[in-house]
Amino acid sequence: GAVVSQHPSRVICKSGTSVKIECRSLDFQATTMFWYRQFPKQSLMLMATSNEGSKATYEQGVEKDKFLINHASLTLSTLTVTSAHPEDSSFYICSARAGRDSYNSPLHFGNGTRLTVT
Amino acid sequence: QQQVKQSPQSLIVQKGGISIINCAYENTAFDYFPWYQQFPGKGPALLIAIRPDVSEKKEGRFTISFNKSAKQFSLHIMDSQPGDSATYFCAAGGDTGFQKLVFGTGTRLLVSP
């Protein structure tokens, strides 16, 4: 159980275009989803937290107009990288949690999306 | 105060040996401490987690040791296997209220055959 599906796994786009990444909780309803960015051989950097039906909360330094997050339902959140630039190339990972209690509703991660902007 | 410091950065252990990874935190409000395992090109997967009301938790070959007074916790992998070769992240956060996790910097473990 507790599967988080992320799509696509890899995407290559041209500079200036937008890319949408989907994150779905397959067998549970995700009250909260988190989006992370990970550079090679580095830790996970939290970009934003989203709760279903409300606006995402972005971490300091993350441009909300560039990284659009929509948590449309309890099983789907999307991250859209707008006007992508080569420096946006990275590994983007979503995660989801069913409840409020971390210990009993741990965070489950998708398999990530490797974005390359040419 | 939000940082979680993790060491070592990389670790090489022989098959059958014990792998030990350490983490330290500052924020005394943290009350949930999970460890995640990540293989290349994949998302992290939860290995084991502990709350500060216990000093140790064991699941199979994986053990978390927790020292509340020192604000430190560690992951021990007993009888390490080549299949354990991965990057391990410790994390810390609040147990309730949608609180986000703060991740350590990661440890790349290589278990040699």
Side-chain angles (χ1 to χ4, degrees), chain A residues 31-32 34 36 38 41-44 46 49 51 59 91 93 97 99-112 114, chain B residues 9 32 36 38 41-46 49-51 57 59 89 93-106 108:
Chain A
T31 53
T32 308
F34 302 86
Y36 290 84
Q38 186 176 35
K41 300 181 183 179
Q42 292 192 26
S43 189
L44 292 86
L46 180 64
T49 303
N51 294 304
E59 294 299 300
F91 193 51
I93 316 174
R97 171 185 294 152
R100 296 173 60 93
D101 178 345
S102 296
Y103 195 77
N104 293 311
S105 298
L107 207 55
H108 294 282
F109 286 83
N111 272 332
R114 173 73 60 195
Chain B
Q9 191 173 27
Y32 172 66
Y36 283 84
Q38 186 180 29
K42 301 293 184 183
L46 178 66
I50 197 169
R51 280 172 165 160
K57 182 176 179 181
E59 287 186 0
F89 292 96
D95 193 17
T96 60
F98 306 116
Q99 294 197 44
K100 56 194 178 186
L101 289 178
V102 178
F103 282 84
T105 48
R108 298 184 76 191

Side-chain angles (χ1 to χ4, degrees), chain A residues 30-31 50-56 70-74 76:
Chain A
T31 53
S50 73
N51 294 304
E52 185 264 339
S54 60
K55 287 185 179 180
N70 183 12
H71 195 152
S73 74
L74 283 172
L76 174 64

